[in-house]
Amino acid sequence: SKKIYCIGELLIDFVAENQGADLTKASLFTKKAGGAPANVACAISKLEGKSAFIGCVGEDPFGTYLIKTLEACDVDLSLLQRSDTFTTLAFVSLAENGERDFVFSRGADRELTYDSSVKDNFRDQMVHLGAATALLGGPLEKTYGHYLFDAITENAFISFDPNFRADLWHGAEDLFIKKCMPYIEKSHLCKFSLEEARMLSGKSDLVEASKALHEMGTGIIAITLGSEGTWISTNQTHRTIPSIPVEPVDTTGAGDAFIGCLLQQISELSSHSHLLENDELLMEMVLTANKAGAITTTGYGAIDSLPDKNQLNNLP
Ligand code: ATP
């Protein structure tokens, strides 16, 4: 199977345990490994796919904790960098009104520098760009652009998930849209939330939104709809693949489990062109990926609740 290089943020999420307290009141925090592309790398490896993570953590105990967490999932970290800058930290709490209270101490993840020798690894493999913080400026944003270009020249299958966080963009949506464009243009597969698909296409209707997004360049669009399942669209066809009914306790990481599972299945194909020739194959893969998303919602945390092959096969 092909190796999937997941590039971008890896950070600590400090999750407040006090029910209904905003961050001024919260006093007890649980340390969790976070970062969407890192979650995706773990999802792939837990399903026995081959994954590597490329990102940067600090030379501090939190950086070491993150490395140990990804190593425990069997993610290849040989291209990971460490920096003098402190590991990136996020603090999150669910306030009384159900709103997320969030502060972010941006650190080492921003410092990922470009290494032109990495590109040889991408030859005929797969690259997942799970942006999140990657388009917020700094060395990481430049590195991202270089790796997108390298993935194209090395004939890699390219997947993009913008991971838009309103908390981080402070209303600068136009800038976010502009920065996503080259990635949507060059990716074979894009995964969006409904909010992202509407924002990036400027259309609220899913058929029209998909059409606009295909016109920007991407061949396959997956729009995850939580308990409603996944909207999947190619230039030939579109359909909603229903979700698997479960009793969710924490939906964190469901989207990452979904895209990780989809990429892991694609990595087993001899050529990804089969996907566009065979719609049924793609639909079946999405159904399996929906199972991975559903299982992840039944446990707490992102990485801890990712399914392995057995759990996936045991779901009807
Ligand atoms: P996150 O940002 O939290 O990772 P997301 O918004 O990217 O999530 P979701 O739409 O929440 O992604 O979920 C991804 C997939 O997981 C869905 O397409 C669906 O298949 C599955 N899923 C999510 N929530 C549920 C649920 N409540 N019941 C069943 N399946 C679910």
Side-chain angles (χ1 to χ4, degrees):
S1 70
K2 292 179 178 162
K3 192 158 186 170
I4 307 162
Y5 292 85
C6 302
I7 313 177
E9 62 166 8
L10 173 57
L11 50 80
I12 305 270
D13 276 318
F14 282 103
V15 184
E17 296 297 339
N18 311 76
Q19 292 292 320
D22 64 22
L23 286 173
T24 60
K25 297 194 197 101
S27 56
L28 184 65
F29 292 87
T30 301
K31 179 178 75 181
K32 294 266 180 206
N39 294 341
V40 174
C42 290
I44 293 162
S45 287
K46 272 191 118 169
L47 293 170
E48 297 166 33
K50 285 190 252 168
S51 77
F53 177 76
I54 305 178
C56 184
V57 297
E59 295 272 10
D60 52 70
F62 291 126
T64 305
Y65 166 76
L66 290 170
I67 288 173
K68 284 192 190 310
T69 305
L70 264 61
E71 274 174 354
C73 293
D74 260 335
V75 176
D76 175 356
L77 295 180
S78 54
L79 299 171
L80 186 94
Q81 294 176 10
R82 294 192 85 165
S83 146
D84 298 342
T85 310
F86 207 81
T87 298
T88 300
L89 309 176
F91 295 83
V92 57
S93 184
L94 230 37
E96 219 165 346
N97 54 7
E99 288 288 306
R100 234 163 64 105
D101 199 10
F102 176 89
V103 294
F104 191 55
S105 175
R106 188 90 198 271
D109 87 278
R110 187 176 180 276
E111 305 303 321
L112 184 77
T113 55
Y114 176 59
D115 174 353
S116 61
S117 70
V118 166
K119 126 185 213 259
D120 299 338
N121 295 282
F122 295 168
R123 178 99 273 216
D124 297 327
Q125 305 299 306
M126 296 170 68
V127 171
H128 174 66
L129 298 153
T133 62
L135 304 177
L136 286 166
L140 175 62
E141 184 174 356
K142 287 211 175 68
T143 302
Y144 236 59
H146 285 301
Y147 285 147
L148 172 66
F149 185 77
D150 288 348
I152 298 164
T153 60
E154 295 305 312
N155 192 40
F157 179 92
I158 305 171
S159 142
F160 176 61
D161 178 350
N163 277 302
F164 177 72
R165 307 266 186 270
D167 295 316
L168 297 179
W169 285 87
H170 309 292
E173 292 187 1
D174 287 347
L175 182 61
F176 173 77
I177 294 168
K178 188 170 153 237
K179 288 185 174 192
C180 284
M181 286 305 155
Y183 295 90
I184 298 172
E185 186 189 333
K186 298 298 181 192
S187 295
H188 300 90
L189 164 68
C190 286
K191 180 244 174 231
F192 303 115
S193 67
L194 186 57
E195 181 200 13
E196 288 164 346
R198 287 181 169 155
M199 180 173 36
L200 291 163
S201 66
K203 311 273 182 208
S204 64
D205 176 72
L206 277 184
V207 178
E208 281 181 36
S210 303
K211 190 164 168 274
L213 293 162
H214 283 308
E215 276 165 10
M216 291 173 198
T218 187
I220 304 170
I221 296 164
I223 303 175
T224 55
L225 307 168
S227 60
E228 304 288 303
T230 304
W231 166 270
I232 184 89
S233 170
T234 66
N235 279 310
Q236 291 87 42
T237 184
H238 52 77
R239 202 185 304 173
T240 300
I241 307 292
S243 72
I244 285 75
V246 288
E247 278 179 34
V249 297
D250 175 11
T251 61
T252 314
D256 301 331
F258 169 87
I259 190 71
C261 181
L262 185 56
L263 291 172
Q264 186 269 328
Q265 295 174 83
I266 295 172
S267 76
E268 288 179 357
L269 299 175
S270 55
S271 162
H272 56 78
S273 59
H274 297 328
L275 275 181
L276 292 173
E277 291 153 10
N278 185 345
D279 290 335
E280 283 313 308
L281 177 67
L282 177 62
M283 301 301 161
E284 256 174 58
M285 287 182 170
V286 171
L287 185 62
T288 304
N290 279 357
K291 290 184 186 179
I295 293 169
T296 303
T297 69
T298 62
Y300 291 96
I303 292 175
D304 293 342
S305 55
L306 293 167
D308 58 25
K309 268 244 154 89
N310 259 338
Q311 284 169 289
L312 203 61
N313 294 337
N314 287 341
L315 207 69

